[in-house]
Amino acid sequence: MVSLKWIVFLCVISFGLGVLFSNRMWDGPQSEDQTLYTNKVHLGDFEATSDDCVTNKKLIQDEQVIKEFSRAHEAIESLDSSVAKLRMELPSNKKSRKIGNFDNSTSNSTNTDNSETGKKVFMVIGINTAFSSRKRRDSVRETWMPRGKNLLRLEQEKGIVVRFMIGHSATSNSILDRAIDSEDAHHNDFLRLEHVEGYHELSAKTKSFFSTAVGKWDAEFYVKVDDDVHVNLGTLAATLVRHRSKPRVYIGCMKSGPVLFQKSVKYHEPEYWKFGEEGNKYFRHATGQIYAISKDLAKYISINQPILHKYANEDVSLGSWFIGLEVDHINDRTMCCGTPPECEWTAQAGNVCAASFDWSCSGICKSVERMKDVHAKCGEDAATLWNALV
């Protein structure tokens, strides 16, 4: 029978061999607190590592966003600069907008003017006229405005463009529009505007004229004149030539009349309160019968016409548009001579007038009957126009 000593010996040997082959000692069970602590340590390490990764990724993303924003900002600034430059340098390339369906009523004028787009000239004269003024237009054609081939020659040789400017009736392709189409087909001397005609819309018509003219001709000067005013084109050209070196010039007979607040008077100003107390005068501006502005000012009107305020009187509106700008106001009294005998005496003294009219009528009184007489007594020699150095 095996002794107890051998049994103990064999047990010890077995235990030793088990430890040897398993290469580790049994550590006994951990308490719950020890287990939680161990897990928290490992979890903390993981969370710390995870937070570092998230932070790094966020920093990288922020840097990328800032870079993209900077590039976009630079692109926007560059685009704004380019657009502003193009708007100032290339107003003639602005596409005209259609108002209503006037395609049929403007076919003759449109075909003629499209070929002249951007053509360099010395001055563009727009003669303000109305549907009912056919006789006035004929009196102008028979006196100071060249016709037919001579009108074309004046443009080609002297760079002087002369057109009757008129808009459209409120009704598309009306009998009034067709009458102008027929007249233009015969004389080819109209500039049709995207404007609805009306006596109280002269300020809007003025803006439309300058905008349209700038888009069709690249002129040094743009002139507006009424169809009941006599003009000596050669003398007017010589007057403007003296100011061609000035960048922003506004030429005419400057005045500063009273602001008429009474509703019963002809030139009532509904916004009289803007000019101070009753009895105040307007700021200095050129009288509306005739005036000229240089290219930069015409472009300014063309670009900003949607936001230029319109007063009741067209000449006041024009003068207001230049307030706050660096503009040279030229008060030239040869552009507002009286009719005979005044302009006749002036001509005899060697100072031919650029324009003549009656102040009392805001134009030549009874101009249809008297235009020929004014032209005969106060008109310049034909050679003056064709020898003008422009």
Side-chain angles (χ1 to χ4, degrees):
M1 184 173 184
V2 180
S3 66
L4 180 61
K5 183 169 64 177
W6 283 103
I7 294 173
V8 173
F9 177 76
L10 289 174
C11 289
V12 172
I13 292 298
S14 298
F15 176 78
L17 291 174
V19 171
L20 178 65
F21 286 104
S22 64
N23 197 29
R24 66 183 181 87
M25 296 290 287
W26 179 64
D27 290 332
Q30 289 183 326
S31 68
E32 184 178 349
D33 291 339
Q34 289 177 320
T35 302
L36 289 174
Y37 175 77
T38 303
N39 290 339
K40 285 180 179 180
V41 171
H42 292 300
L43 181 59
D45 293 340
F46 173 77
E47 288 178 346
T49 305
S50 176
D51 288 343
D52 290 341
C53 292
V54 171
T55 302
N56 291 336
K57 288 181 179 179
K58 190 174 185 303
L59 289 174
I60 294 173
Q61 289 175 348
D62 288 345
E63 291 178 357
Q64 291 175 342
V65 169
I66 292 172
K67 289 180 180 179
E68 291 296 329
F69 179 81
S70 298
R71 284 196 289 265
H73 184 66
E74 292 174 359
I76 291 171
E77 286 186 334
S78 177
L79 181 60
D80 285 344
S81 178
S82 299
V83 169
K85 184 177 181 181
L86 286 172
R87 289 181 69 188
M88 287 302 297
E89 294 182 353
L90 302 174
S92 60
N93 287 337
K94 293 165 65 181
K95 295 182 179 178
S96 60
R97 297 178 294 276
K98 294 183 179 179
I99 301 179
N101 297 316
F102 297 128
D103 292 348
N104 293 333
S105 63
T106 60
S107 58
N108 294 326
S109 296
T110 301
N111 291 338
T112 299
D113 292 336
N114 281 345
S115 62
E116 299 169 339
T117 301
K119 181 179 179 181
K120 287 187 176 296
V121 296
F122 175 65
M123 68 175 171
V124 175
I125 301 174
I127 307 173
N128 183 35
T129 192
F131 290 117
S132 60
S133 300
R134 174 63 189 263
K135 290 183 178 180
R136 283 189 179 184
R137 291 191 291 273
D138 285 341
S139 71
V140 170
R141 292 183 181 113
E142 293 167 1
T143 53
W144 61 266
M145 178 182 179
R147 291 179 288 176
K149 293 181 178 179
N150 283 333
L151 185 63
L152 181 60
R153 177 190 169 199
L154 185 65
E155 297 178 22
Q156 294 175 340
E157 295 185 10
K158 296 299 176 180
I160 298 176
V161 177
V162 186
R163 292 283 190 278
F164 289 106
M165 59 162 170
I166 193 168
H168 302 273
S169 64
T171 304
S172 176
N173 199 30
S174 69
I175 187 172
L176 297 174
D177 292 311
R178 292 197 299 271
I180 295 296
D181 289 340
S182 176
E183 187 179 344
D184 190 28
H186 181 68
H187 295 285
N188 198 27
D189 56 5
F190 277 90
L191 175 64
R192 300 301 296 272
L193 308 176
E194 293 181 353
H195 166 78
V196 178
E197 285 292 321
Y199 178 77
H200 296 291
E201 296 297 330
L202 291 180
S203 294
K205 186 174 183 179
T206 299
K207 289 197 291 186
S208 181
F209 162 63
F210 286 121
S211 180
T212 303
V214 164
K216 293 183 181 299
W217 297 283
D218 180 13
E220 294 183 50
F221 294 96
Y222 297 84
V223 181
K224 177 264 176 180
V225 60
D226 290 337
D227 60 5
D228 57 355
V229 173
H230 180 270
V231 179
N232 284 317
L233 292 174
T235 304
L236 177 61
T239 299
L240 299 184
V241 163
R242 296 198 296 269
H243 305 289
R244 73 192 317 174
S245 62
K246 301 171 184 176
R248 292 170 299 279
V249 62
Y250 173 34
I251 310 171
C253 290
M254 299 294 164
K255 65 176 185 177
S256 180
V259 179
L260 302 177
F261 61 90
Q262 304 91 340
K263 292 184 179 180
S264 59
V265 299
K266 182 178 181 181
Y267 298 111
H268 166 63
E269 177 58 72
E271 297 181 272
Y272 63 89
W273 58 273
K274 290 185 177 181
F275 299 91
E277 302 299 324
E278 292 182 1
N280 281 0
K281 291 185 176 182
Y282 285 114
F283 41 79
R284 192 71 63 179
H285 62 278
T287 187
Q289 288 84 352
I290 180 172
Y291 50 75
I293 61 175
S294 57
K295 178 193 299 186
D296 285 353
L297 295 182
K299 286 183 177 181
Y300 173 81
I301 294 173
S302 176
I303 292 171
N304 297 287
Q305 62 168 324
I307 59 172
L308 294 177
H309 185 68
K310 297 176 293 183
Y311 288 101
N313 299 300
E314 163 247 343
D315 52 356
V316 173
S317 294
L318 183 77
S320 72
W321 300 337
F322 302 147
I323 291 179
L325 303 181
E326 290 292 340
V327 176
D328 196 352
H329 289 60
I330 306 296
N331 182 26
D332 194 317
R333 308 311 291 183
T334 66
M335 294 177 68
C336 56
C337 293
T339 56
E342 181 183 332
C343 60
E344 192 174 9
W345 295 336
T346 304
Q348 290 173 355
N351 299 313
V352 178
C353 293
S356 300
F357 57 88
D358 297 309
W359 284 102
S360 59
C361 296
S362 298
I364 297 175
C365 299
K366 299 181 178 179
S367 65
V368 173
E369 294 82 8
R370 297 182 58 222
M371 186 68 77
K372 286 185 178 180
D373 180 63
V374 174
H375 185 66
K377 294 178 179 179
C378 301
E380 64 191 2
D381 186 271
T384 304
L385 174 59
W386 299 107
N387 294 332
L389 301 175
V390 296

